[in-house]
Amino acid sequence: MRTSIATVCLSGSLTEKLTAASRAGFDGVEIFENDLLASPLTPEEIRTRCADLGLSIDLYQPMRDTEAVPADEFARNLRRARHKFDLMRRLGADTVLVCSSVSPLALDDDDLAAEQLSRLAALAQEFGIRVAYEALAWGRHISTYDHAWHVVESAGHPALGTCLDSFHILSRGSNPKGIEDIPGEKIFFLQLADAPLLAMDVLQWSRHYRCFPGQGGFDIAGLLRHVLRTGYDGPLSLEVFNDVFRQAEAAPTAVDAHRSLLVLQEAAGITQLPPPDFPSGIAFAELATPDAQPVTQVLDALGFTRTARHRSKPVDLWQQGEARILVNTGTAARRESTALAAIGLESPDPPAAARRAEALLAPVLPRRRTPQDIPLDAVAAPDGTELFFCATSRPELPDWQTDFIPVDDHPAAATAAAATDLAGIGRIDHLALTQPWHHFDEATLFHRGVLGLRPQESVDVADPYGLLRSRAVSTADGAVRIVLTVGAAPTDGDAPAQHIALATDDVIAAARRFSAAGGRLLKIPANYYDDLAARFDLTDDELEIYQELGILYDRDAGGAFRHCYTRTVGRVFFELLQRDAGYQGYGAQNAPVRLAAQHTA
Amino acid sequence: MRTSIATVCLSGSLTEKLTAASRAGFDGVEIFENDLLASPLTPEEIRTRCADLGLSIDLYQPMRDTEAVPADEFARNLRRARHKFDLMRRLGADTVLVCSSVSPLALDDDDLAAEQLSRLAALAQEFGIRVAYEALAWGRHISTYDHAWHVVESAGHPALGTCLDSFHILSRGSNPKGIEDIPGEKIFFLQLADAPLLAMDVLQWSRHYRCFPGQGGFDIAGLLRHVLRTGYDGPLSLEVFNDVFRQAEAAPTAVDAHRSLLVLQEAAGITQLPPPDFPSGIAFAELATPDAQPVTQVLDALGFTRTARHRSKPVDLWQQGEARILVNTGTAARRESTALAAIGLESPDPPAAARRAEALLAPVLPRRRTPQDIPLDAVAAPDGTELFFCATSRPELPDWQTDFIPVDDHPAAATAAAATDLAGIGRIDHLALTQPWHHFDEATLFHRGVLGLRPQESVDVADPYGLLRSRAVSTADGAVRIVLTVGAAPTDGDAPAQHIALATDDVIAAARRFSAAGGRLLKIPANYYDDLAARFDLTDDELEIYQELGILYDRDAGGAFRHCYTRTVGRVFFELLQRDAGYQGYGAQNAPVRLAAQHTA
């Protein structure tokens, strides 16, 4: 179906908005009146600009406080409408949105509303314009979609139809099933917006917290299915008022917006995308660093061994059990300090995974390789992290490890292999990635839509210097877990730290081995252990060991979680953890203590 | 009364919080458990640190999910409590806060709650500790203060009392009059927090949006009066969970917090401060600039005349009617570009105004003057703007103008005087000051408390690159108006612009004169005038003139408002405005168009 976006969704000047919408692949736009008023372009110039960008103008909006008012007031409203219809003719827009009145002058009189809307539609018709009447959730007398449709139906004017808006319908708790009673040709427009499920005043909720479909808690796909059963064939159009998107760069927001409509259409069964290729594990995590020494010193102490190096690039593979970490000194020019630059996702069918990502507007990365290298399918996540879809030791598929030449002759390898048994790090449990402030919702949708990961509840975490928000996405079996975190402030001097969490069956042994090898664990205050003693039935011996090593403890219905942290190198630190099979979380309860300790470390 | 603050109100490590609280003048603190757990200091060290800082530890908090539970669970809770009481003994804290349970295990059984609280209190008593039981607004079975008091009363244990929290009481809409039925000696603690009046889930409201008394919409002074009638003589303690304060620097937040308690005590009639000295006008606005030429060129075109210069400092006085603008090139070293650095407030009694400001913790500025200069009373506002309390041409008081030597010989003076008649700028209508993001609530309370200005409703203004928030404070007669604005993001590369709004009786003449003198007015898009034509009954001639000059138009029940803008110089621009006597606003409706035009200018 055709896709459209209201200019109010995007940041910037009208022309910046139009350009971003066009580049992201939208077919049309809704022109939000305030954006037109603030533009130095004439309506004719805007029309031309849209045409040049391949955008139709699907809606002009909004016209407010029009209907069900005393005659003299309605005369003024018609006068105002005539101006706007004239403007729309110049603009080349043929549908106007009329919102149900919130004016104190409005009368609770459906017949009057129908009569005046009919007269408005008659005037519109003279200009070749259609009127799409929509119930605002906070409309004074008309606030539900079925009520608005009832008024439109009784007005019975061919140039008058209804506009459905998913936010106004679902925020009121209306049953969208009734949409099917409306003839499709009388649905003149469909606006789509999701929102987090907040218990708050609906006007404030609508004006500040809307988000793109799939980013909130509403069943937009379900609503869309009802609309489609009516035969509606107009555009799917996004109308999202969101304080964060207003500040964010227009280009990525427009891509995020368009991706949301693709995922939505797939969910509603009206489009087919390459199916998700659920990753079965983390093949590797790649650190980029201007200086390998500090981070490899930590890896070494953790029991990792440098097992191979890339045949053509300055990249080393460090391994322990199934945990593989690449240390790349080649991209250092782009990095100020050590950072998590890429993730290798173990993919059942790497090219298929890449096709889905590309179909969902993920930037496909150029394959930086020499001719003999294995082709690697890679895209960029919204935070810039490179995602490689790859296969490890699966004979039927090209193996990314083929490009790495074993470092057999390295004397440390044998020693380290022995140490590995001791340390027992088996795999990467999860990766924690700090997200750019303006694109947290986008990141969740990306990981869900592109990678098929399931988002968990968002949790607040109190850092001493501000509240962080954290949301885990994972596969059903927990084989891939990524924790997305967003900082307290939109812009920040220091880029916040990311981390690699390493799973072990014996965190005490792993922590001891790390310390014995010269590694420095994050020190946790004694007061924390005093609180553990009060909250859990742990033995004094256990507590003493935990305190000595800085091991934090949590428990849920499914089991226990024990974890400790290395000091930070550049932007990266490591977590050692021991997870009972049934434990679902990430130790969020302990994060404030960990964060405070990192600030004082 | 003694003042106290919960450590959770302030940003940073526990020791940073304690230091800020002490420096701001608090007598004591509530230690929030998470702050203690995250601190590397032992309880004994924290006790010593508090003592060194002159702070008592008035409360340890919170103990959760304690009462009205099955026996085995309560046994675990008592075990946990014993740990905490032992900790409190080491800490030297003698009162613990117990919040009403939110646990799914809690039973709806007041007798059981009373019995278990009584047993908890008996244990506490062994440690010399009192238990203050508080109803959370979202408590599972006990959620109102009178219910909590009923349980405490029926428990009848001397070491058990109640804790009152203004947020929990007022957010539920409880009538605080009933507080007077509680004996003062059974109110073991009083926590104070205000909040904006939001229609939202009370838990989210409480956790993210609390603010200091006087910054929100609750009648905290009224509640306090009820509490005082019981004979309560414990501390007034602030407990505020606020996402913004969590990020802000602790020191200014603590000052803001303490100021709020001073203003509150004055309002409740339990302390006397030097009374407000309501300013009767704006004596001058002072611009600091590294280069006077660009801004004086604008002033000149606006019809201002350089009438005098300071006897000892590089400061010129530019005047037109009662509008006086100082141009100071002496402080340029501190300024990157032209900025509004100081405001002269016409004060009935300048030393009295300064005494009140000082009593309300405004930093008193050193008097940078030579011995013969008039003493000027000055303080710093939260955004760093210097506020001078002064007298202009009032024979009974020292006149700040005495330090300025007239520039009689300046040939432009006569010409400019003639021009003044033409331009007709009479006075400064208002000053618009962009506030530091983390201190917007503080700024409102400062202007209300220190200067006696009345805050109007906060309004959202859509800038193309983010939503701004704007709040005017003014004297009852509108003689002094200051518009406080806060940007979309906490930190910003460019410091946003401020402006000086100049009142004229004929904005068309003033704008024409400015243009004729070579001034450049901000160009407003034609689309805006098309919309004006649709919305208002203005003649084509009027509209044409407005469009030619870039004059914006607004109207409310009291009259019309016409205004236009100069281009920005450094961080400052000027507004020319014509305000009908009854018009109350500032043209906020037009601000998005103006902001968009400034971005493209």
Side-chain angles (χ1 to χ4, degrees):
Chain A
M1 294 182 77
R2 297 187 62 258
T3 57
S4 188
I5 185 167
T7 53
V8 74
C9 303
L10 301 171
S11 182
S13 68
L14 180 58
T15 46
E16 286 173 327
K17 292 165 188 246
L18 296 175
T19 307
S22 167
R23 287 198 184 150
F26 283 95
D27 303 304
V29 290
E30 304 177 22
I31 300 275
F32 190 64
E33 181 164 84
N34 284 3
D35 288 321
L36 177 125
L37 299 191
S39 173
L41 271 61
T42 65
E44 291 81 1
E45 287 167 339
I46 294 168
R47 176 185 199 150
T48 305
R49 183 69 63 103
C50 286
D52 290 348
L53 290 166
L55 295 169
S56 56
I57 297 180
D58 296 322
L59 191 77
Y60 184 76
Q61 67 126 319
M63 198 172 283
R64 297 186 192 278
D65 297 336
T66 304
E67 80 289 3
V69 287
D72 58 336
E73 180 70 11
F74 186 66
R76 274 191 292 274
N77 292 350
L78 275 188
R79 177 180 168 282
R80 193 180 64 187
R82 183 179 289 276
H83 269 276
K84 298 300 174 186
F85 294 156
D86 191 51
L87 165 74
M88 287 174 63
R89 190 154 56 181
R90 296 168 60 197
L91 198 57
D94 67 0
T95 307
V96 66
L97 177 73
V98 172
C99 306
S100 65
S101 180
V102 299
S103 164
L105 295 174
L107 304 168
D108 187 7
D109 183 339
D110 284 359
D111 291 340
L112 182 63
E115 184 222 314
Q116 291 182 344
L117 285 171
S118 183
R119 288 175 58 195
L120 181 74
L123 177 63
Q125 204 171 27
E126 293 175 24
F127 290 81
I129 285 168
R130 309 188 308 165
V131 173
Y133 181 64
E134 166 188 86
L136 293 179
W138 54 91
R140 188 164 163 81
H141 301 297
I142 296 172
S143 58
T144 59
Y145 79 91
D146 44 329
H147 192 173
W149 162 238
H150 168 77
V151 169
V152 166
E153 189 176 27
S154 75
H157 195 285
L160 179 67
T162 192
C163 170
L164 298 176
D165 179 307
S166 62
F167 179 88
H168 290 302
I169 295 169
L170 299 174
S171 67
R172 302 250 339 170
S174 294
N175 184 346
K177 175 100 180 64
I179 291 171
E180 298 183 23
D181 299 334
I182 308 174
E185 70 275 10
K186 292 302 275 185
I187 301 174
F188 281 5
F189 210 74
L190 174 63
Q191 292 180 317
L192 298 169
D194 201 346
L197 301 180
L198 302 171
M200 71 185 301
D201 173 68
V202 71
L203 176 61
Q204 293 306 314
W205 190 17
S206 174
R207 292 237 169 119
H208 302 284
Y209 298 96
R210 287 187 180 208
C211 53
F212 298 123
Q215 297 179 345
F218 291 141
D219 178 13
I220 309 292
L223 180 135
L224 178 55
R225 278 190 290 266
H226 293 303
V227 175
L228 294 174
R229 285 192 198 112
T230 68
Y232 173 77
D233 64 356
L236 304 179
S237 190
L238 296 167
E239 188 199 32
V240 167
F241 306 91
N242 181 298
D243 289 359
V244 176
F245 298 162
R246 280 180 189 272
Q247 292 176 40
E249 271 182 79
T253 306
V255 170
D256 179 30
H258 201 233
R259 180 182 299 128
S260 80
L261 286 183
L262 296 172
V263 173
L264 174 69
Q265 290 178 84
E266 180 187 45
I270 50 177
T271 193
Q272 271 209 318
L273 299 172
D277 180 68
F278 301 104
S280 61
I282 294 174
F284 62 81
E286 180 174 339
L287 300 171
T289 179
D291 175 11
Q293 203 278 330
V295 77
T296 56
Q297 191 174 10
V298 175
L299 288 173
D300 187 53
L302 284 167
F304 280 79
T305 308
R306 191 175 73 106
T307 56
R309 78 171 316 172
H310 196 275
R311 80 165 95 225
S312 60
K313 288 184 285 189
V315 181
D316 285 344
L317 168 60
W318 289 73
Q319 188 160 357
Q320 182 174 191
E322 295 299 308
R324 298 173 205 90
I325 294 174
L326 303 183
V327 178
N328 184 344
T329 49
T331 52
R334 294 187 299 121
R335 309 275 170 184
E336 287 173 23
S337 66
T338 305
L340 187 50
I343 301 172
L345 291 166
E346 193 69 32
S347 300
D349 182 352
R355 278 196 300 276
R356 179 173 177 84
E358 190 172 1
L360 285 169
L361 313 177
V364 175
L365 296 172
R367 292 174 181 159
R368 298 163 310 177
R369 58 188 191 94
T370 53
Q372 74 268 38
D373 288 350
I374 291 293
L376 273 180
D377 297 285
V379 299
D383 65 354
T385 303
E386 301 183 353
L387 300 177
F388 289 88
F389 303 107
C390 54
T392 311
S393 311
R394 280 181 284 157
E396 73 280 15
L397 290 171
D399 190 332
W400 63 274
Q401 296 175 112
T402 312
D403 293 336
F404 286 81
I405 299 165
V407 193
D408 296 322
D409 55 352
H410 198 291
T415 331
T420 301
D421 297 333
L422 225 68
I425 287 172
R427 49 187 291 278
I428 293 175
D429 180 85
H430 66 272
L431 299 166
L433 299 173
T434 310
Q435 298 299 301
W437 199 85
H438 290 118
H439 298 284
F440 189 63
D441 287 336
E442 177 184 1
T444 310
L445 179 62
F446 179 92
H447 286 87
R448 186 170 75 76
V450 173
L451 306 180
L453 303 182
R454 304 193 304 188
Q456 292 180 237
E457 282 297 296
S458 182
V459 293
D460 286 340
V461 173
D463 179 276
Y465 300 95
L467 216 53
L468 310 179
R469 203 149 46 103
S470 185
R471 192 166 193 187
V473 293
S474 63
T475 52
D477 63 358
V480 175
R481 299 172 185 264
I482 297 175
V483 178
L484 306 167
T485 299
V486 73
T491 50
D492 218 332
D494 308 318
Q498 305 167 319
H499 79 266
I500 299 176
L502 302 164
T504 164
D505 290 336
D506 186 344
V507 73
I508 293 173
R512 284 214 166 121
R513 189 228 173 270
F514 178 68
S515 289
R520 291 175 66 204
L521 288 162
L522 186 71
K523 199 165 162 50
I524 301 297
N527 297 331
Y528 170 80
Y529 295 97
D530 196 46
D531 184 58
L532 271 196
R535 292 195 295 129
F536 298 104
D537 215 2
L538 301 169
T539 66
D540 288 349
D541 282 357
E542 251 178 310
L543 283 167
E544 202 174 303
I545 293 168
Y546 291 168
Q547 184 168 348
E548 173 205 333
L549 296 167
I551 292 173
L552 300 149
Y553 182 89
D554 192 29
R555 171 173 286 284
D556 68 13
F561 188 69
R562 298 167 180 85
H563 53 144
C564 58
Y565 296 88
T566 70
R567 299 298 178 94
T568 304
V569 177
R571 286 184 60 197
V572 175
F573 60 95
F574 298 88
E575 179 178 2
L576 286 169
L577 66 84
Q578 180 180 346
R579 174 193 290 280
D580 280 4
Y583 179 87
Q584 290 305 316
Y586 299 83
Q589 164 87 14
N590 297 322
V593 169
R594 185 258 297 170
L595 287 159
Q598 288 179 318
H599 282 293
T600 54
Chain B
M1 293 180 79
R2 298 186 63 256
T3 57
S4 189
I5 185 167
T7 53
V8 75
C9 303
L10 301 171
S11 183
S13 67
L14 180 59
T15 46
E16 286 173 327
K17 291 165 188 246
L18 296 175
T19 306
S22 166
R23 286 197 185 150
F26 283 94
D27 303 304
V29 289
E30 304 177 23
I31 300 277
F32 191 63
E33 181 164 83
N34 284 3
D35 287 322
L36 177 124
L37 300 191
S39 173
L41 272 58
T42 64
E44 290 80 2
E45 286 168 338
I46 294 168
R47 176 185 199 149
T48 305
R49 183 69 64 101
C50 286
D52 290 349
L53 290 166
L55 295 169
S56 56
I57 298 180
D58 296 322
L59 191 76
Y60 184 76
Q61 67 124 321
M63 199 172 281
R64 297 186 193 278
D65 297 336
T66 304
E67 80 290 3
V69 287
D72 58 336
E73 180 71 12
F74 186 66
R76 275 191 291 275
N77 292 350
L78 273 188
R79 177 180 166 283
R80 194 180 64 188
R82 183 180 289 276
H83 268 278
K84 298 300 175 185
F85 294 157
D86 190 52
L87 165 74
M88 286 174 65
R89 190 155 55 180
R90 296 168 61 196
L91 198 57
D94 67 2
T95 306
V96 66
L97 178 73
V98 172
C99 306
S100 64
S101 181
V102 299
S103 165
L105 295 175
L107 305 168
D108 188 7
D109 183 340
D110 285 0
D111 291 339
L112 182 63
E115 184 222 313
Q116 291 182 344
L117 285 171
S118 182
R119 287 175 59 194
L120 181 75
L123 177 63
Q125 205 172 25
E126 293 174 24
F127 290 80
I129 286 169
R130 309 188 309 167
V131 173
Y133 181 64
E134 166 189 84
L136 294 179
W138 54 91
R140 188 163 164 81
H141 301 296
I142 296 173
S143 58
T144 60
Y145 77 92
D146 43 330
H147 192 174
W149 161 238
H150 168 76
V151 169
V152 166
E153 190 178 25
S154 75
H157 195 285
L160 180 67
T162 191
C163 170
L164 298 175
D165 180 306
S166 62
F167 180 87
H168 290 302
I169 295 169
L170 298 173
S171 67
R172 301 250 340 171
S174 294
N175 184 346
K177 176 102 179 63
I179 291 170
E180 297 183 24
D181 299 335
I182 308 174
E185 69 276 11
K186 293 302 276 185
I187 302 174
F188 281 5
F189 211 73
L190 174 63
Q191 292 181 316
L192 298 169
D194 201 347
L197 302 180
L198 302 171
M200 70 185 302
D201 172 66
V202 71
L203 175 61
Q204 294 304 316
W205 190 16
S206 174
R207 293 240 169 116
H208 301 284
Y209 297 97
R210 287 186 180 207
C211 54
F212 297 124
Q215 297 179 346
F218 291 141
D219 179 11
I220 309 292
L223 180 136
L224 178 55
R225 278 189 290 264
H226 293 303
V227 174
L228 295 174
R229 283 192 200 113
T230 67
Y232 173 77
D233 64 355
L236 304 178
S237 190
L238 296 166
E239 189 200 30
V240 167
F241 306 90
N242 180 298
D243 289 358
V244 176
F245 298 161
R246 279 180 191 272
Q247 292 177 39
E249 273 183 76
T253 306
V255 169
D256 180 29
H258 201 232
R259 181 182 298 128
S260 80
L261 285 183
L262 295 172
V263 173
L264 174 69
Q265 291 179 81
E266 180 186 45
I270 50 176
T271 193
Q272 271 210 318
L273 299 171
D277 180 69
F278 300 104
S280 61
I282 293 173
F284 62 82
E286 180 173 338
L287 299 172
T289 180
D291 175 10
Q293 203 277 331
V295 75
T296 56
Q297 191 174 8
V298 175
L299 287 173
D300 187 54
L302 284 167
F304 279 80
T305 308
R306 191 175 72 106
T307 57
R309 77 171 315 174
H310 196 276
R311 79 165 96 224
S312 60
K313 288 184 285 189
V315 181
D316 285 345
L317 168 60
W318 289 72
Q319 187 159 357
Q320 182 174 189
E322 295 299 309
R324 297 174 205 91
I325 293 173
L326 304 182
V327 177
N328 184 344
T329 50
T331 53
R334 294 187 299 122
R335 307 275 169 185
E336 286 173 23
S337 67
T338 306
L340 187 50
I343 302 173
L345 291 165
E346 193 68 33
S347 300
D349 181 352
R355 277 195 301 277
R356 178 172 178 85
E358 190 172 0
L360 284 168
L361 313 177
V364 175
L365 297 172
R367 292 175 181 158
R368 298 164 309 177
R369 58 186 191 94
T370 53
Q372 73 270 36
D373 288 349
I374 292 292
L376 272 180
D377 298 285
V379 299
D383 64 354
T385 303
E386 302 183 350
L387 300 177
F388 288 88
F389 303 108
C390 54
T392 311
S393 310
R394 280 181 283 156
E396 72 281 16
L397 290 172
D399 190 333
W400 63 274
Q401 296 175 111
T402 311
D403 292 334
F404 285 81
I405 299 162
V407 193
D408 294 325
D409 55 352
H410 196 293
T415 332
T420 301
D421 298 334
L422 225 67
I425 286 171
R427 49 187 289 278
I428 293 175
D429 180 86
H430 67 272
L431 300 166
L433 299 173
T434 310
Q435 298 297 303
W437 199 84
H438 290 118
H439 298 283
F440 190 62
D441 287 336
E442 176 183 1
T444 310
L445 179 63
F446 179 92
H447 286 88
R448 186 170 74 76
V450 173
L451 307 179
L453 303 182
R454 304 194 303 189
Q456 291 179 239
E457 282 297 298
S458 182
V459 293
D460 286 340
V461 172
D463 178 276
Y465 299 96
L467 216 52
L468 310 179
R469 202 149 46 101
S470 185
R471 192 166 194 186
V473 292
S474 64
T475 52
D477 63 358
V480 174
R481 298 171 185 265
I482 298 175
V483 178
L484 306 167
T485 299
V486 74
T491 50
D492 218 330
D494 308 319
Q498 305 167 319
H499 79 265
I500 300 176
L502 301 164
T504 163
D505 290 335
D506 187 343
V507 73
I508 294 174
R512 285 214 164 119
R513 189 222 173 273
F514 177 67
S515 290
R520 293 175 67 202
L521 288 162
L522 187 72
K523 198 164 161 54
I524 301 298
N527 296 332
Y528 170 82
Y529 295 97
D530 197 47
D531 183 60
L532 271 195
R535 291 194 296 128
F536 298 105
D537 215 2
L538 300 168
T539 66
D540 288 349
D541 282 358
E542 250 177 310
L543 283 167
E544 201 173 305
I545 293 168
Y546 291 169
Q547 183 167 350
E548 172 204 334
L549 297 167
I551 291 173
L552 300 148
Y553 182 89
D554 191 29
R555 172 172 287 283
D556 68 12
F561 187 69
R562 298 168 179 85
H563 54 142
C564 59
Y565 296 88
T566 70
R567 299 298 177 93
T568 304
V569 177
R571 288 185 58 196
V572 175
F573 60 94
F574 298 88
E575 179 178 3
L576 285 168
L577 67 83
Q578 180 179 347
R579 174 193 289 280
D580 281 3
Y583 179 86
Q584 290 304 317
Y586 299 84
Q589 164 87 15
N590 296 322
V593 170
R594 185 257 297 169
L595 287 160
Q598 288 179 319
H599 281 292
T600 53

